[in-house]
Amino acid sequence: MTDIQITSPVSAPRIGESAPRPDGVPKVTGTFTFSSDLWHNNMLWGGTLRSPHPSANIKSIDISGALAINGVSAVLTHTDVPGSLLYGLEHADQPVLAADVVRYEGESVAIVAADHPETVRRALAAIVVDYQVTAPLVDPEAAEQAEPIHPDGNLIRRLRLRHGDQNIQGEIQVEGTYEVGMQDQAFLGPESGLALPSEDGGVELFVSTQWLHSDRDQVAVCLGLPPEKVRFTLSGVGGAFGAREDLSLHAHLCLLALHTGRPVKMVYSREESFHGHVHRHPARMWYRHHADTDGNLLRVEARLILDGGAYASSSGAVISNATCFAAGPYLIPSADIDGAVVRTNNPPCGAMRGFGAVQTCVGHEAQMDKLAAALGMDPVELRLKNALKSGDKLLTGQTITGAAPVAEVIKSCVDHPSTLIPSDDMMSLPGGAGRTADPHHIVRGQAMAVGFKNLLFSEGFDDYSSAICHLVDGVATITCACAEVGQGFVTLAQQITREVLGVEEVILAPAATATVGSAGSTSASRQTWMSGGAVQKACEAVRQQLLERIADQHQVNLDDLVLVDGQIVSLSGNFSLDLATATTEPLEADIEYHHAPTYPVDENGQGDAHVSFAFAAHRAVVDVDPELGLVKVVELTTSQDVGRLLNPLQAVGQLEGGASQGVGLAVMEEVLVTEGRIRNASFTDYLIPTALDMPPVEIAAFIEQPEPGAPFGAKGIGEPPSISSTAAVVAALRDATKRELPRVPVRPTDIVQLEDDTP
Amino acid sequence: MSITIARSLDHALTTLHENPDALILAGGTDLMVQINRGYLNELSTVIAVNRIPELQGWKQQDDTLVLGAGLTYAEMEKSDFAAVAPALAQAARTVGSPQIRNAGTLGGNLGTASPAGDTLPVLAALDAVICLRSAQGARRLPILEFITGVKNNARQPGELIEEVHIPAAQGHQEFCKIGPRNAMVISVASLALIVDQQNKKVRLGLGTVGPVPLRPAEAEEHLSTNVNWAANTVSAATLDQFSTLAAAAARPIDDHRGTAAYRRHAIGVMARRTAARAFTEETA
Ligand SMILES: Cc1cc2nc3c(=O)[nH]c(=O)nc-3n(C[C@H](O)[C@H](O)[C@H](O)COP(=O)(O)OP(=O)(O)OC[C@H]3O[C@@H](n4cnc5c(N)ncnc54)[C@H](O)[C@@H]3O)c2cc1C
């Protein structure tokens, strides 16, 4: 990294300074308390019986054998759910416990609480479920025509986007069909939590999640309890990346605790976790791009189909993103895009970092390279020529009013000098520790890609966050239900508070539903903006109250008062007061922060559906052993549009982590599903990049163009790193191998292409 | 359930004699996975063998390299071991992560007898002998008689894997392993090539491409007879034929880690490349 200065962390960092994570050292040294470490002396252990079939009718469930086992306190099925049987993020279509039908392998059928995990295991094995197995619907392209596998039908959502003149034809046209496999979020901390019955007949749940209030509301409905009797508190989260947006064990734990009157703990095994959360949607995408002979994009046509799996989860919003961002950050006057997400008996899919834009980036960037080849034009030049900028219209007809430094991210990324040092260490070649290659077997490839997506929630969703600022004796306490899942809100909330109030010490109260309103989800790159904004507004409100009080008490002019470094001073001269002294009487503000309204799209997919957008570019250099199909990403360079850098250290972490998930999807990460069954539900066979697979991420530039309307001008930065990184790596593999490689992850067999091979 | 932490070989053998079907626990990196998956529910007696001094480490005994069943991958990776058994050291480096290599043992790899066990093709190419011991006595089996099938071996109830004996050989050694990740990956195909300079023999072991490790006799024979031993060179045609014969000897299957066709192809590529590392390819 040549131009980026990461200041070493300071003790009480403010906005723009590197703030070390309070959980950093504990996590590395193993002392951090994750939700799986929760303990209560009187607790029971919970477990879940899951369907072994992707599709079956349940004829009967016999729990008597399990109940007869010594140490078993409860065995519950769908008949024990007191409230609504169904829940869901966007549509309540998924049963808390399956009643008469199971729609995916691993669907929850019964739950058990017992005195020991081993008793739980035996009890689960003693439950007899009589399944009538039915043929699973596994082909997403056949789903719409097939018999409905759910009362809500097999089409979860279709979006048709028609933009501009539909009769435009380009002189140059390129076409391609692309496929993206099912990626897992691969967080390391499995689903886990501890539920405790409360004296008022309610229940408390300590759990790792992305959105406490949404979980709480969904669970309360299933429990048949008013929301205030269901209290959720965030406990140590071991990664999320979208996989904790949906409920997993939340309702089950609450049911067991209420039923037994005892605290109940549950921790999924790794294999169970692969069945217990949603994955990234697999995608099949057809594209046709039209351009004139000068390389001006004229029109894009696309057909997108995402496999939503058995239940809706957030599929509706994912297909909306996939459709809106289908063509990438380019100005295109005409578009015809059809996006559908369908229901199948495959594992349910939902939120994952990048949320629909990752899949389409693989498609649109491959198309841009194809188009450049057809035009005989440099692919970077083609992208720059068509790059979106502020004031341009998206395919949804929305005008970009904020920053859109697409050309800037592209240029700074591709102009960044390569720092690759040649190495003949066998370990650093493709094949790594396996010692399969010698240097002369290796070919190198290089390419770049650019992508974008929306920040915050879209399509008219009333998106807000709440925060309380309490100031006493010069110490600020911030209460916000924002789920810290690794994104860095805990440092940011403190930085913002110091910046606004000039205090040193900032305490963060636990994130919980009982003490504060909703913060919204830790997703959609939204918490820096939304909960950061809520904290800023709450602090500003407290500052205003304070200055008014001081002006009043000391008969000084309010307009002259400012807060600097723990002092209240009057600009007109002779008044100054220590903040701690001024706040012996506490001050408090409780606010709700909403972003600018958005609107649903019309029947042509047109409308001002989004608040803001963020852009990133990646350049990848890969080494390939073409004969064995083994690869190594040797260099990855990125530039990202960040609005304003609030915590440089944390930003680097986001760019590195996001890129490594992108590299994983490009070359190895895939949940393999055959006939509805996951074949690699373990980290033995679901591979994620190791240190030998992931090069250091070179950050060419953080493009800082303050975003209007965003607190401190800062954009969310969590998702863009995982959007264009995959596309860049695949493009570099194409450059090295001269193969089309229309599918990710790219497998060795895709590169070798043996004649007699049928994967 | 009872757990015996054996402190000596005798201690382990007596306990095993009393409980011939006891589960033997070494590093636990295979066994615990099986237990967690519920494959071994009826645990009765467990004998932990990783603290038995007689099973630790390795030594050179006359013309034989004697490896204790408790030898860990971390020890095999070290340079002193790599100097006497380079291919085994290379194989050890490819096993799992540092944590797994600290705990996992050679005896465990043999006990599991997985087709993907990384030491197995090397032991096959090294003509290793497995020494088993019970309270009644000891017996020795060549590796290819010891491994009898997928996750099956010839160990009898009451027997412990005690040692692995490797006849000394001078010459180049190579181990290669294919996986879709650059480290910490289960083998898709692996291969060990051992040159025995003294006897002018090349021995080849194939891993993960059959239920048991394979020794492609025809390929070995072809290379051994066509190498120019004096110059330590080999012709391109010989390498090509060696590659073809090695690939033809593979008996791979399709599974979620790779296709049979790819595995066979990979064996051919690795065979050629390792032979070209051992002998200089003659320029036409
Ligand atoms: C994350 C992970 C990665 C792995 N990666 C690899 C890899 O890359 N390559 C590879 O080959 N393996 C790999 N393994 C498997 C495993 O580490 C090896 O097979 C290892 O050699 C097992 O040794 P252990 O000492 O842990 O055996 P244990 O698990 O203790 O035992 C394994 C089996 O051998 C038997 N056994 C052990 N010692 C003796 C003895 N002295 N006499 C008789 N029977 C005995 C046990 O009863 C059991 O059946 C991996 C495992 C994990 C968990």
Side-chain angles (χ1 to χ4, degrees):
Chain A
M1 291 191 310
T2 45
D3 350 71
I4 315 294
Q5 294 273 323
I6 304 297
T7 49
S8 59
V10 290
S11 61
R14 296 199 177 178
I15 289 303
E17 296 172 334
S18 282
R21 308 171 54 95
D23 52 336
V25 171
K27 276 179 179 159
V28 172
T29 54
T31 57
F32 183 81
T33 308
F34 290 99
S35 53
S36 49
D37 299 317
L38 291 164
W39 193 268
H40 191 289
N41 282 339
N42 189 35
M43 74 188 187
L44 296 167
W45 290 85
T48 313
L49 182 72
R50 296 176 182 278
S51 166
H53 309 294
S55 173
N57 296 315
I58 297 178
K59 293 167 77 183
S60 66
I61 306 175
D62 180 1
I63 61 170
S64 56
L67 278 173
I69 293 173
N70 219 340
V72 173
S73 298
V75 182
L76 307 182
T77 67
H78 64 98
T79 56
D80 300 298
V81 178
S84 162
L85 186 63
L86 300 179
Y87 72 93
L89 266 179
E90 292 173 359
H91 307 285
D93 72 342
Q94 181 161 2
V96 175
L97 290 167
D100 47 4
V101 53
V102 285
R103 297 187 179 87
Y104 72 97
E105 182 200 27
E107 182 160 355
S108 308
V109 176
I111 47 177
V112 163
D115 57 2
H116 190 277
E118 182 56 24
T119 320
V120 172
R121 194 190 59 75
R122 284 191 286 125
L124 292 173
I127 300 171
V128 182
V129 185
D130 187 3
Y131 292 104
Q132 180 193 29
V133 176
T134 48
L137 169 63
V138 295
D139 178 5
E141 301 198 46
E144 266 194 88
Q145 267 65 54
E147 269 305 290
I149 59 168
H150 189 285
D152 294 354
N154 293 349
L155 178 66
I156 298 174
R157 188 177 182 191
R158 156 163 281 122
L159 243 97
R160 289 210 169 80
L161 193 156
R162 304 278 181 279
H163 180 71
D165 178 355
Q166 292 298 303
N167 297 313
I168 293 180
Q169 293 284 315
E171 231 174 290
I172 311 288
Q173 297 185 11
V174 292
E175 218 182 296
T177 303
Y178 308 94
E179 208 179 309
V180 177
M182 183 187 289
Q183 188 179 20
D184 187 68
Q185 298 82 351
F187 53 48
L188 297 187
E191 291 81 353
S192 46
L194 176 73
L196 300 98
S198 323
E199 279 178 10
D200 64 355
V203 62
E204 253 189 287
L205 179 69
F206 294 83
V207 71
S208 46
T209 178
Q210 293 179 232
W211 188 356
L212 286 165
H213 284 76
S214 161
D215 292 351
R216 191 267 320 259
D217 291 348
Q218 292 176 69
V219 170
V221 172
C222 298
L223 298 177
L225 286 173
E228 59 280 7
K229 282 198 173 181
V230 182
R231 301 167 198 91
F232 284 13
T233 303
L234 188 73
S235 65
V237 180
F241 314 109
R244 294 188 213 274
E245 270 216 320
D246 298 76
L247 296 184
S248 55
L249 39 62
H250 310 55
H252 298 160
L253 275 171
C254 293
L255 284 167
L256 290 170
L258 286 167
H259 193 88
T260 60
R262 301 258 302 267
V264 183
K265 170 176 175 165
M266 208 190 277
V267 182
Y268 284 1
S269 71
R270 180 63 60 198
E271 183 181 359
E272 190 176 18
S273 173
F274 272 96
H275 295 287
H277 62 249
V278 298
H279 311 283
R280 190 192 294 291
H281 291 79
R284 293 181 198 173
M285 307 173 288
W286 169 87
Y287 280 90
R288 184 189 287 138
H289 278 60
H290 301 245
D292 65 18
T293 49
D294 293 333
N296 295 301
L297 284 173
L298 298 177
R299 175 168 164 84
V300 60
E301 299 168 83
R303 301 287 174 266
L304 316 172
I305 181 156
L306 304 188
D307 185 351
Y311 295 104
S313 179
S314 50
S315 283
V318 172
I319 193 65
S320 164
N321 271 9
T323 309
C324 176
F325 306 111
Y330 307 108
L331 181 63
I332 310 175
S334 160
D336 170 357
I337 296 167
D338 188 314
V341 59
V342 296
R343 195 189 302 274
T344 65
N345 292 115
N346 289 321
C349 289
M352 181 173 174
R353 197 175 198 170
F355 207 79
V358 169
Q359 294 92 325
T360 52
C361 189
V362 168
H364 65 67
E365 288 304 86
Q367 284 288 100
M368 290 303 279
D369 287 339
K370 250 188 204 179
L371 185 59
L375 287 158
M377 197 172 174
D378 175 61
V380 174
E381 193 191 324
L382 175 67
R383 286 174 170 86
L384 287 172
K385 190 176 192 109
N386 293 284
L388 273 177
K389 56 187 187 313
S390 189
D392 282 348
K393 269 191 167 46
L394 296 175
L395 301 184
T396 50
Q398 177 170 1
T399 302
I400 303 178
T401 52
V406 181
E408 287 88 335
V409 295
I410 294 174
K411 269 194 248 160
S412 57
C413 182
V414 299
D415 289 347
H416 191 72
S418 169
T419 55
L420 262 181
I421 309 156
S423 160
D424 49 12
D425 174 13
M426 209 177 246
M427 193 82 104
S428 69
L429 299 175
R435 308 179 74 260
T436 45
D438 300 297
H440 67 274
H441 298 125
I442 303 305
V443 293
R444 178 159 288 183
Q446 177 178 321
M448 63 83 55
V450 58
F452 82 132
K453 84 174 281 289
N454 55 331
L455 305 172
L456 323 183
F457 285 175
S458 299
E459 293 190 89
F461 189 89
D462 180 23
D463 193 9
Y464 69 94
S465 176
S466 321
I468 303 168
C469 173
H470 183 88
L471 181 63
V472 66
D473 295 333
V475 176
T477 300
I478 300 296
T479 308
C480 180
C482 171
E484 172 64 53
V485 303
Q487 83 277 21
F489 179 73
V490 289
T491 56
L492 197 71
Q494 294 177 320
Q495 291 172 273
I496 292 172
T497 307
R498 288 191 195 105
E499 187 78 19
V500 177
L501 290 176
V503 294
E504 283 267 308
E505 199 176 331
V506 184
I507 296 166
L508 268 185
T513 59
T515 47
V516 61
S518 173
S521 178
T522 299
S523 65
S525 302
R526 66 180 284 291
Q527 288 296 20
T528 292
W529 186 319
M530 297 305 298
S531 289
V535 170
Q536 183 193 20
K537 292 280 176 278
C539 292
E540 283 172 357
V542 161
R543 183 177 63 188
Q544 187 63 21
Q545 288 174 27
L546 173 65
L547 297 185
E548 280 170 14
R549 188 163 87 189
I550 298 300
D552 191 43
Q553 280 173 357
H554 299 272
Q555 297 301 304
V556 282
N557 189 351
L558 175 64
D559 296 339
D560 290 346
L561 287 181
V562 289
L563 243 174
V564 270
D565 294 337
Q567 297 285 318
I568 300 153
V569 289
S570 165
L571 292 174
S572 58
N574 49 19
F575 176 79
S576 108
L577 186 64
D578 176 52
L579 185 68
T581 319
T583 55
T584 47
E585 277 289 302
L587 294 144
E588 189 169 292
D590 182 347
I591 72 104
E592 215 173 72
Y593 174 81
H594 296 251
H595 63 63
T598 60
Y599 304 92
V601 291
D602 66 17
E603 69 283 0
N604 287 318
Q606 302 294 293
D608 291 349
H610 305 293
V611 182
S612 174
F613 311 91
F615 308 84
H618 286 85
R619 180 186 67 192
V621 182
V622 300
D623 280 351
V624 181
D625 180 341
E627 229 185 330
L628 289 175
L630 301 180
V631 304
K632 176 160 173 123
V633 182
V634 291
E635 190 182 63
L636 199 59
T637 307
T638 185
S639 285
Q640 188 166 323
D641 154 42
V642 298
R644 183 176 167 198
L645 208 48
L646 302 182
N647 180 350
L649 188 64
Q650 190 77 41
V652 170
Q654 287 293 317
L655 268 57
E656 288 177 340
S660 94
Q661 283 184 309
V663 167
L665 177 60
V667 300
M668 64 180 80
E669 289 192 37
E670 183 172 8
V671 179
L672 300 169
V673 181
T674 306
E675 288 300 302
R677 293 175 195 281
I678 300 182
R679 293 151 78 201
N680 57 340
S682 75
F683 284 152
T684 307
D685 283 314
Y686 184 87
L687 302 179
I688 55 177
T690 70
L692 269 188
D693 301 283
M694 184 62 200
V697 175
E698 284 286 318
I699 299 172
F702 288 111
I703 306 294
E704 295 195 73
Q705 294 185 4
E707 179 71 349
F712 305 101
K715 287 183 172 181
I717 59 167
E719 292 177 287
S722 47
I723 298 176
S724 43
S725 44
T726 305
V729 170
V730 182
L733 291 173
R734 287 187 195 110
D735 182 49
T737 61
K738 311 300 169 209
R739 300 260 191 224
E740 285 225 15
L741 306 180
R743 183 187 192 281
V744 300
V746 176
R747 300 158 293 198
T749 43
D750 298 326
I751 293 173
V752 178
Q753 291 190 9
L754 300 168
E755 271 179 20
D756 53 346
D757 209 1
T758 43
Chain B
M1 183 173 119
S2 85
I3 299 175
T4 302
I5 298 175
R7 300 286 172 179
S8 70
L9 188 57
D10 272 349
H11 184 193
L13 292 176
T14 337
T15 318
L16 198 54
H17 183 66
E18 287 153 13
N19 310 276
D21 290 321
L23 273 182
I24 298 166
L25 171 72
T29 60
D30 274 324
L31 199 72
M32 292 312 296
V33 174
Q34 289 186 292
I35 290 173
N36 285 341
R37 297 194 138 206
Y39 292 161
L40 302 167
N41 289 337
E42 305 316 317
L43 302 183
S44 50
T45 308
V46 175
I47 306 175
V49 298
N50 57 347
R51 289 174 185 78
I52 299 176
E54 295 96 318
L55 299 188
Q56 309 293 314
W58 61 276
K59 55 185 185 264
Q60 192 89 50
Q61 222 165 45
D62 307 324
D63 273 354
T64 305
L65 192 59
V66 177
L67 316 181
L71 184 64
T72 65
Y73 296 109
E75 292 167 302
M76 287 188 252
E77 275 184 82
K78 288 191 184 144
S79 55
D80 54 347
F81 187 80
V84 294
L88 262 182
Q90 290 162 10
R93 174 58 185 85
T94 74
V95 173
S97 59
Q99 294 91 327
I100 296 296
R101 298 200 290 275
N102 281 332
T105 63
L106 183 64
N109 214 224
L110 287 163
T112 298
S114 158
D118 283 325
T119 66
L120 306 185
V122 194
L123 296 179
L126 287 169
D127 282 336
V129 173
I130 313 305
C131 306
L132 299 156
R133 187 175 290 279
S134 67
Q136 281 91 355
R139 62 182 181 124
R140 293 158 169 246
L141 285 176
I143 172 82
L144 294 183
E145 286 173 38
F146 176 76
I147 308 283
T148 52
V150 175
K151 300 204 171 176
N152 263 315
N153 62 41
R155 186 181 78 87
Q156 294 293 320
E159 276 184 328
L160 205 63
I161 304 167
E162 183 188 12
E163 286 172 346
V164 175
H165 289 191
I166 295 170
Q170 293 298 315
H172 195 95
Q173 299 191 359
E174 283 288 338
F175 173 79
C176 278
K177 163 175 160 183
I178 305 255
R181 180 160 76 179
N182 286 309
M184 208 180 150
V185 68
I186 304 290
S187 166
V188 168
S190 65
L191 174 147
L193 179 128
I194 307 292
V195 180
D196 181 347
Q197 280 288 354
Q198 215 178 345
N199 299 306
K200 300 196 170 28
K201 268 284 290 171
V202 178
R203 302 196 300 260
L204 193 62
L206 310 184
T208 335
V209 289
V212 298
L214 304 174
R215 284 282 301 269
E218 243 186 295
E220 289 184 0
E221 184 61 26
H222 183 80
L223 185 58
S224 302
T225 50
N226 287 291
V227 160
N228 179 341
W229 289 98
N232 210 48
T233 59
V234 65
S235 73
T238 300
L239 288 175
D240 291 343
Q241 182 63 10
F242 174 62
S243 161
T244 306
L245 290 171
R251 291 154 57 197
I253 56 159
D254 282 318
D255 69 11
H256 61 282
R257 293 183 186 140
T259 63
Y262 174 77
R263 288 183 154 118
R264 186 184 298 285
H265 165 81
I267 289 292
V269 174
M270 290 191 289
R272 196 186 195 288
R273 288 183 182 180
T274 51
R277 285 177 196 161
F279 308 100
T280 311
E281 186 171 341
E282 290 154 9
T283 42

